[in-house]
Structure formats: C-alpha cells, structure tokens
Amino acid sequence: MGSFLLYGTFPLCILTHMLNAELFVKILEVHLHAQAHVFHQDDWFLVQDNDPKHTAKMTKAWMEKNMPNKKINWPSQSPDINPIENLFVWVKQKLLKKGPKNITQLKKEFTDLWENINGNFLENYWRSMPKRCQLVIDNDGAK
Ligand SMILES: *[C@@H]1O[C@H](CO)[C@@H](O)[C@H](O)[C@H]1NC(C)=O
C-alpha cells in the first residue's frame, strides 16, 4: 500500500496478507503515527475511493476520531482520475523495465523506486490532476 503528498511519498507498506478493514486501520495508525509531523499539519487530505475497506464501519469510526474532516470521497471505478492509480501505473512501467527476477528483488526495486520519487515529479503530477479530470468530463466519463 502506498500514499503520497505533494512533496514526497510515505513509506511503502508491502502487504503479505489480504487487506481488510482491520489491517487498513492498523496501517493508517502506524503510518500516520510515524508521520506525525505531517499528520498534525492542516494542509493535507486523504483521497481514497469507496473500496469496502475504506468505507467499513470500523474504518469510518477510526477516521472520525483521529482525522475528522480529512477525507475526500472519490468516485469508485475511476482509476483514470485516482492519483495513486496513475502513480502506480508509472511505477509498474518502471518496474517492468527493471525486470525483477524474484519477489525479494521486486520488493527491493519497488521500495527503492518509491522512496526516490522526486518531489518535483509529484508536484507536477498533482498539478496535472485538474486537466486529467477535465479530460474525463469532456469525454463523458471515459478517457
Ligand atoms: C533474486 O534474484 C537476484 C538476481 O537474480 C539474486 O541475486 C538473488 O539471489 C535472488 N534471491 C532469491 C531469494 O532467490
């Protein structure tokens, strides 16, 4: 699981179990706690889609208590305009070029790539979002 801000990525969380609401909340707790300096600032929002893990009662309750008014609801089934999906496509293309030979190498390549994503790249990326959304609107919901 990965997340990013305008100026950098949060540490990548490589999962070995199926992600459910309980694990999702645990990840939020651990990652957000580790990033307390960001968490306690006001200039961020969590963008997430309506995946059942994100909308589960337990997730909602945790968010309401720990990060009220920080969540932006995003339409489901809309990977074209989901910032993280677009970033993952870019990462997957890079990883395919590197051609990791096994899971160990894949984890290492993925982590190296993720941790070294440049802040300028992310800023340009975020700034392209209105244009991406407009393209979807102009094409009646298709890209
Ligand atoms: C994974 O692949 C790399 C590169 O081929 C190799 O050096 C390494 O020993 C492999 N690791 C495992 C656990 O197979």
Side-chain angles (χ1 to χ4, degrees):
M1 200 170 108
S3 50
F4 67 105
L5 296 161
L6 185 63
Y7 44 85
T9 52
F10 282 100
L12 195 60
C13 184
I14 296 177
L15 302 172
T16 53
H17 296 77
M18 281 289 285
L19 185 59
N20 58 19
E22 198 177 332
L23 183 56
F24 182 64
V25 166
K26 185 147 261 150
I27 291 168
L28 286 178
E29 260 172 347
V30 171
H31 278 240
L32 289 176
H33 185 75
Q35 302 292 328
H37 59 287
V38 172
F39 196 34
H40 291 293
Q41 286 175 4
D42 268 340
D43 61 347
W44 66 277
F45 288 96
L46 180 68
V47 174
Q48 62 175 16
D49 59 22
N50 295 317
D51 183 287
K53 301 177 275 296
H54 302 157
T55 55
K57 222 183 242 178
M58 124 179 243
T59 309
K60 278 185 175 168
W62 188 88
M63 286 184 179
E64 207 43 58
K65 179 166 184 260
N66 295 284
M67 42 174 283
N69 309 317
K70 284 299 191 187
K71 194 165 62 79
I72 296 180
N73 289 322
W74 213 254
S76 304
Q77 311 294 325
S78 305
D80 291 347
I81 55 164
N82 186 329
I84 197 81
E85 296 296 339
N86 281 284
L87 189 60
F88 276 146
V89 167
W90 180 84
V91 168
K92 277 183 205 162
Q93 286 165 351
K94 290 265 177 201
L95 280 175
L96 275 175
K97 276 191 197 146
K98 290 185 177 283
K101 301 277 183 282
N102 53 43
I103 194 77
T104 311
Q105 206 183 5
L106 173 64
K107 282 180 185 171
K108 187 191 175 312
E109 298 285 2
F110 194 176
T111 307
D112 285 352
L113 192 62
W114 189 257
E115 286 173 356
N116 290 302
I117 292 176
N118 169 303
N120 283 338
F121 173 81
L122 289 176
E123 186 170 349
N124 288 335
Y125 184 77
W126 272 115
R127 298 205 188 289
S128 75
M129 286 311 296
K131 206 163 70 186
R132 287 165 188 270
C133 292
Q134 192 58 52
L135 264 176
V136 171
I137 293 165
D138 293 348
N139 289 289
D140 287 332
K143 195 166 152 184

PDB file of all heavy atoms in Angstrom, residues 99-106, ligand 1:
ATOM      1  N   GLY A  99      12.668  -5.458 -14.647  1.00  0.00           N
ATOM      2  CA  GLY A  99      12.521  -6.904 -14.741  1.00  0.00           C
ATOM      3  C   GLY A  99      13.050  -7.686 -13.552  1.00  0.00           C
ATOM      4  O   GLY A  99      13.943  -8.527 -13.710  1.00  0.00           O
ATOM      5  N   PRO A 100      12.490  -7.440 -12.351  1.00  0.00           N
ATOM      6  CA  PRO A 100      12.950  -8.204 -11.181  1.00  0.00           C
ATOM      7  C   PRO A 100      12.765  -9.709 -11.390  1.00  0.00           C
ATOM      8  O   PRO A 100      11.796 -10.135 -12.014  1.00  0.00           O
ATOM      9  CB  PRO A 100      12.062  -7.693 -10.044  1.00  0.00           C
ATOM     10  CG  PRO A 100      10.907  -7.040 -10.697  1.00  0.00           C
ATOM     11  CD  PRO A 100      11.359  -6.558 -12.028  1.00  0.00           C
ATOM     12  N   LYS A 101      13.733 -10.491 -10.873  1.00  0.00           N
ATOM     13  CA  LYS A 101      13.743 -11.940 -11.131  1.00  0.00           C
ATOM     14  C   LYS A 101      12.984 -12.749 -10.081  1.00  0.00           C
ATOM     15  O   LYS A 101      12.634 -13.891 -10.313  1.00  0.00           O
ATOM     16  CB  LYS A 101      15.192 -12.448 -11.172  1.00  0.00           C
ATOM     17  CG  LYS A 101      16.043 -11.788 -12.231  1.00  0.00           C
ATOM     18  CD  LYS A 101      15.835 -12.450 -13.590  1.00  0.00           C
ATOM     19  CE  LYS A 101      16.723 -11.863 -14.664  1.00  0.00           C
ATOM     20  NZ  LYS A 101      16.235 -10.568 -15.175  1.00  0.00           N
ATOM     21  N   ASN A 102      12.773 -12.158  -8.902  1.00  0.00           N
ATOM     22  CA  ASN A 102      12.056 -12.871  -7.838  1.00  0.00           C
ATOM     23  C   ASN A 102      11.415 -11.848  -6.892  1.00  0.00           C
ATOM     24  O   ASN A 102      11.618 -10.641  -7.043  1.00  0.00           O
ATOM     25  CB  ASN A 102      13.024 -13.827  -7.108  1.00  0.00           C
ATOM     26  CG  ASN A 102      14.262 -13.090  -6.633  1.00  0.00           C
ATOM     27  OD1 ASN A 102      14.164 -11.980  -6.103  1.00  0.00           O
ATOM     28  ND2 ASN A 102      15.432 -13.696  -6.822  1.00  0.00           N
ATOM     29  N   ILE A 103      10.684 -12.364  -5.933  1.00  0.00           N
ATOM     30  CA  ILE A 103       9.911 -11.486  -5.048  1.00  0.00           C
ATOM     31  C   ILE A 103      10.821 -10.570  -4.204  1.00  0.00           C
ATOM     32  O   ILE A 103      10.490  -9.408  -3.979  1.00  0.00           O
ATOM     33  CB  ILE A 103       8.921 -12.313  -4.168  1.00  0.00           C
ATOM     34  CG1 ILE A 103       7.871 -11.414  -3.507  1.00  0.00           C
ATOM     35  CG2 ILE A 103       9.641 -13.133  -3.117  1.00  0.00           C
ATOM     36  CD1 ILE A 103       6.786 -10.965  -4.446  1.00  0.00           C
ATOM     37  N   THR A 104      11.970 -11.089  -3.801  1.00  0.00           N
ATOM     38  CA  THR A 104      12.908 -10.292  -2.998  1.00  0.00           C
ATOM     39  C   THR A 104      13.386  -9.086  -3.798  1.00  0.00           C
ATOM     40  O   THR A 104      13.403  -7.952  -3.302  1.00  0.00           O
ATOM     41  CB  THR A 104      14.131 -11.155  -2.592  1.00  0.00           C
ATOM     42  OG1 THR A 104      13.656 -12.380  -2.053  1.00  0.00           O
ATOM     43  CG2 THR A 104      15.010 -10.456  -1.586  1.00  0.00           C
ATOM     44  N   GLN A 105      13.762  -9.379  -5.034  1.00  0.00           N
ATOM     45  CA  GLN A 105      14.255  -8.309  -5.897  1.00  0.00           C
ATOM     46  C   GLN A 105      13.128  -7.317  -6.239  1.00  0.00           C
ATOM     47  O   GLN A 105      13.363  -6.106  -6.280  1.00  0.00           O
ATOM     48  CB  GLN A 105      14.830  -8.935  -7.166  1.00  0.00           C
ATOM     49  CG  GLN A 105      15.876  -8.084  -7.812  1.00  0.00           C
ATOM     50  CD  GLN A 105      16.387  -8.697  -9.111  1.00  0.00           C
ATOM     51  OE1 GLN A 105      15.888  -9.725  -9.589  1.00  0.00           O
ATOM     52  NE2 GLN A 105      17.372  -8.058  -9.691  1.00  0.00           N
ATOM     53  N   LEU A 106      11.924  -7.849  -6.428  1.00  0.00           N
ATOM     54  CA  LEU A 106      10.778  -6.983  -6.719  1.00  0.00           C
ATOM     55  C   LEU A 106      10.529  -6.014  -5.556  1.00  0.00           C
ATOM     56  O   LEU A 106      10.365  -4.811  -5.762  1.00  0.00           O
ATOM     57  CB  LEU A 106       9.524  -7.828  -6.975  1.00  0.00           C
ATOM     58  CG  LEU A 106       8.213  -7.049  -7.133  1.00  0.00           C
ATOM     59  CD1 LEU A 106       8.241  -6.156  -8.365  1.00  0.00           C
ATOM     60  CD2 LEU A 106       7.013  -7.993  -7.195  1.00  0.00           C
TER      61      LEU A 106
HETATM   62  C1  LIG B   1      16.764 -12.987  -6.590  1.00  0.00           C
HETATM   63  O1  LIG B   1      17.370 -12.619  -7.803  1.00  0.00           O
HETATM   64  C2  LIG B   1      18.623 -11.956  -7.653  1.00  0.00           C
HETATM   65  C3  LIG B   1      19.062 -11.500  -9.033  1.00  0.00           C
HETATM   66  O2  LIG B   1      18.983 -12.529  -9.989  1.00  0.00           O
HETATM   67  C4  LIG B   1      19.605 -12.900  -6.962  1.00  0.00           C
HETATM   68  O3  LIG B   1      20.848 -12.264  -6.783  1.00  0.00           O
HETATM   69  C5  LIG B   1      19.053 -13.329  -5.610  1.00  0.00           C
HETATM   70  O4  LIG B   1      19.892 -14.277  -5.005  1.00  0.00           O
HETATM   71  C6  LIG B   1      17.655 -13.908  -5.772  1.00  0.00           C
HETATM   72  N1  LIG B   1      17.085 -14.106  -4.464  1.00  0.00           N
HETATM   73  C7  LIG B   1      16.370 -15.190  -4.147  1.00  0.00           C
HETATM   74  C8  LIG B   1      15.810 -15.195  -2.753  1.00  0.00           C
HETATM   75  O5  LIG B   1      16.148 -16.089  -4.930  1.00  0.00           O
END
